[in-house]
């Protein structure tokens, strides 16, 4: 018999929380944000902004922000594990003419920064990075930025948003071309703030837009965090979960299509927009009889952060699941292709590591073994979910990394399966 639905409230979206703080920092009036993501990454962005003279007053997950004139921070700004934090903040500070050094933990120091350094230099920014301009720490010196007309060479919302924030803060025009659409939270927030941003012949155009209005917004629930509970309900017999108030931006929800095509029973009820984003509720129940699928490479940018979860679900589906066109996964908090392949093998799975993805064979045997998370929050959460299938015996090398994005995850997981 099915259990009654358990309702889980997932805290604010990490991507939108970073952007809301950074945009609020440009307004001299007071912005009010509620349901801010409570993870370490967003806390690092908030702390770095404070060091640049922005007032950030937090009460639980609500925050009041007063920005305006930024000042040079004293000492190095540490962005911890956060790729979004460091890349977006670099754009904002370069545009605002701030002198600063930005750094991060060992994982962030191994992730490429040339993807932002090159276009920022093309705008006239005086920015240098270590090891041939490719890695943190990043050093910004005061400079006046000029307009940019640019083809984004990688499908990256972080690069796109870095440049939008640089153009915005410097009050210079931008014209950007994306070959593949990536998450558009920055654009949506800018629209809600009255910025002069539009699409013309498929190009993203930003005209000088300062001063911005202050931002008043509730951050929608984090769909990438909720994804782990969607996967849990799909995998665990008799489970039914209700997940209200989630951001349902179509550039983030492609994993729902994939899980449905694997046999997941997922229902969606749309609600009113928040922060310029579509928001709604999900109800997910175990359906049984999952089947493997080929994930279309064109969908990868819209499910990039959900691949760890999809990989563990695929390990329980009949047949083969192929994920290709996902080379960017090697440049995340860990090399996620390698981390997932090693983790699945460690629990008895049959998986082939491809240059740009994974080939996963489903198995019936309960997964058992010790998984190295490689300090990657999404790898840890994916295997924590797999560890809840009947008969599983999975040990994780650590779970502290989960607080990077989803501080409430362990408590919600315990409630979901109680
Ligand atoms: C993010 C964009 C994606 C995503 C990351 C968050 C963002 O990275 O993987 O978790 O908030 O812009 P890329 O832009 O590097 O693809």
């Amino acid at each position: 018999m099915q259990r009654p639905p358990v309702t889980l409230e997932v805290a604010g979206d990490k991507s939108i929380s970073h952007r809301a703080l950074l945009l609020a920092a440009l307004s001299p009036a007071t912005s009010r944000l509620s349901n801010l993501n409570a993870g370490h990454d967003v806390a690092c962005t908030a702390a770095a902004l404070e060091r640049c003279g922005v007032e950030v007053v937090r009460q639980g997950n609500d925050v009041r922000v007063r920005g305006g004139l930024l000042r040079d921070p004293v000492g190095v700004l540490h962005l911890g594990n956060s790729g979004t934090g460091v890349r977006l903040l670099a754009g904002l500070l370069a545009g605002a003419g701030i002198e600063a050094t930005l750094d991060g933990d060992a994982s962030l120091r191994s992730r490429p920064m040339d993807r932002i350094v090159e276009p920022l230099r093309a705008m006239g920014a005086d920015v240098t990075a270590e090891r041939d301009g490719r890695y943190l720490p990043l050093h910004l010196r005061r400079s006046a930025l000029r307009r940019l007309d640019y083809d984004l060479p990688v499908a990256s919302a972080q690069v796109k948003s870095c440049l939008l924030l640089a153009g915005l803060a410097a009050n210079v025009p931008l014209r950007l071309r994306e070959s593949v659409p990536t998450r558009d939270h920055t654009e949506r927030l800018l629209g809600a703030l009255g910025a002069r941003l539009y699409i013309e012949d498929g190009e993203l155009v930003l005209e000088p837009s300062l001063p911005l209005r202050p931002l008043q917004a509730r951050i929608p629930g984090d769909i990438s965090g909720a994804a782990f509970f969607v996967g849990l309900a799909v995998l665990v017999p008799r489970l039914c979960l209700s997940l209200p108030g989630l951001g349902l931006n179509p550039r983030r929800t492609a994993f729902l299509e994939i899980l449905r095509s694997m046999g997941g029973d997922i229902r969606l009820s749309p609600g009113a927009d928040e922060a310029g984003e579509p928001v709604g509720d999900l109800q997910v129940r175990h359906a049984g009889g999952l089947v493997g699928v080929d994930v279309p490479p064109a969908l990868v940018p819209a499910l990039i952060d959900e691949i760890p979860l999809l990989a563990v679900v695929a390990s329980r589906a009949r047949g083969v699941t192929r994920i290709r066109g996902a080379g960017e996964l090697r440049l995340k908090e860990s090399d996620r292709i390698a981390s997932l392949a090693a983790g699945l093998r460690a629990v008895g799975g049959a998986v082939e590591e491809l240059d740009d993805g994974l080939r996963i064979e489903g198995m019936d045997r309960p997964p058992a073994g010790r998984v190295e998370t490689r300090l990657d929050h999404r790898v840890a959460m994916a295997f924590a979910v797999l560890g809840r299938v009947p008969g599983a015996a999975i040990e994780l090398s650590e779970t502290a990394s989960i607080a990077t994005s989803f501080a409430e995850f362990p408590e919600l997981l315990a409630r979901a399966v109680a």
Side-chain angles (χ1 to χ4, degrees):
M1 227 187 36
Q2 194 92 40
R3 297 185 223 174
V6 177
T7 299
L8 301 176
E9 305 260 357
V10 174
D13 186 87
K14 177 160 78 78
S15 289
I16 302 174
S17 295
H18 283 294
R19 288 158 169 80
L21 285 172
L22 292 161
L23 288 171
L26 283 178
S27 174
T30 300
S31 294
R32 287 172 205 281
L33 311 171
S34 62
N35 200 37
L36 198 78
N37 180 284
H40 287 157
D41 276 10
V42 170
C44 284
T45 294
L49 287 173
E50 283 187 281
R51 303 264 310 282
C52 298
V54 179
E55 195 182 303
V56 182
V57 181
R58 224 176 149 145
Q59 250 192 334
N61 292 346
D62 295 345
V63 63
R64 202 158 36 82
V65 183
R66 211 151 57 110
L69 267 193
L70 302 178
R71 62 165 142 66
D72 296 348
V74 177
V76 175
L77 297 176
H78 271 283
L79 277 302
N81 194 239
S82 181
T84 306
V86 82
R87 294 189 179 117
L88 271 57
L89 184 68
L92 181 86
L93 297 184
I98 296 299
E99 302 220 344
T101 295
L102 280 65
D103 204 353
D105 66 10
S107 153
L108 198 53
R109 278 185 164 204
S110 71
R111 298 177 66 186
M113 293 299 145
D114 44 340
R115 52 182 61 194
I116 60 162
V117 168
E118 281 165 20
L120 285 175
R121 279 194 188 142
M123 291 179 84
D126 183 348
V127 47
T128 51
E130 306 285 305
R131 291 181 280 153
D132 289 337
R134 298 192 58 202
Y135 298 102
L136 293 180
L138 210 61
H139 307 282
L140 299 173
R141 273 166 297 273
R142 205 172 319 290
S143 45
L145 267 52
R146 52 180 178 265
R147 66 190 312 137
L148 179 72
D149 189 315
Y150 189 65
D151 289 297
L152 290 153
V154 272
S156 166
Q158 291 179 359
V159 176
K160 174 178 63 175
S161 300
C162 164
L163 300 177
L164 285 172
L165 287 166
L168 185 72
N171 229 18
V172 297
L174 285 183
R175 199 169 258 276
L176 303 176
R177 286 169 293 278
E178 282 194 284
S179 54
V180 188
T182 61
R183 64 189 70 189
D184 58 357
H185 307 304
T186 310
E187 296 92 304
R188 286 172 182 262
L189 279 173
L190 282 171
L193 288 172
R196 293 163 64 211
L197 177 85
Y198 50 93
I199 309 274
E200 189 180 73
D201 302 328
E203 302 181 356
L204 187 56
V205 180
L206 175 70
E207 301 285 354
S209 295
L210 291 184
L212 285 184
R213 292 200 287 264
L215 182 57
Q216 315 285 339
R218 178 189 180 274
I219 312 291
D222 194 326
I223 187 70
S224 296
F228 294 102
F229 292 100
V230 176
L232 181 79
V234 164
L235 287 176
V236 176
R238 299 189 298 122
L239 209 57
C240 177
L241 296 179
S242 176
L243 301 157
L246 299 175
L248 294 174
N249 184 314
R251 297 190 186 181
R252 299 281 300 280
T253 52
F255 77 100
L256 294 173
E257 266 173 63
I258 300 299
L259 287 178
R260 279 205 187 103
S261 66
M262 296 176 86
D265 180 349
I266 304 168
R267 283 163 215 196
L268 190 156
S269 333
D273 285 13
E274 286 168 14
E277 298 277 344
V279 173
D281 307 339
L282 289 182
Q283 193 162 99
V284 195
R285 58 183 76 237
H286 176 69
L290 295 173
V291 291
V293 289
D294 281 346
V295 175
L299 283 188
V300 163
L303 49 70
I304 190 78
D305 290 344
E306 287 64 63
I307 290 176
L309 181 269
L310 289 176
V312 300
V313 173
S315 75
R316 308 304 301 163
R318 187 161 37 83
V320 172
T321 295
R322 285 180 204 82
I323 302 168
R324 305 297 307 260
E328 277 287 306
L329 278 184
R330 295 204 181 271
L331 305 173
K332 297 295 178 189
E333 287 82 334
S334 70
D335 172 344
R336 285 190 177 150
I337 295 180
S339 311
L340 292 167
L344 287 173
R345 265 187 219 118
V347 299
V351 50
E352 194 183 331
E353 184 177 329
L354 311 169
D355 278 355
D356 65 345
L358 295 160
R359 180 186 179 280
I360 299 163
E361 274 175 48
M363 62 167 181
D364 287 331
R365 224 175 25 259
R370 178 184 155 88
V371 173
E372 288 296 333
T373 68
R374 306 189 183 188
L375 303 178
D376 183 328
H377 57 129
R378 297 201 200 277
V379 173
M381 287 188 276
F383 283 97
V385 165
L386 188 62
R388 298 300 176 146
V389 306
I394 294 182
E395 188 196 336
L396 299 177
S397 58
E398 59 80 42
T399 53
S401 62
I402 290 172
T404 297
S405 63
F406 199 176
E408 309 83 349
F409 175 84
E411 185 198 322
L412 294 182
L413 181 62
R415 273 190 36 214
V417 296

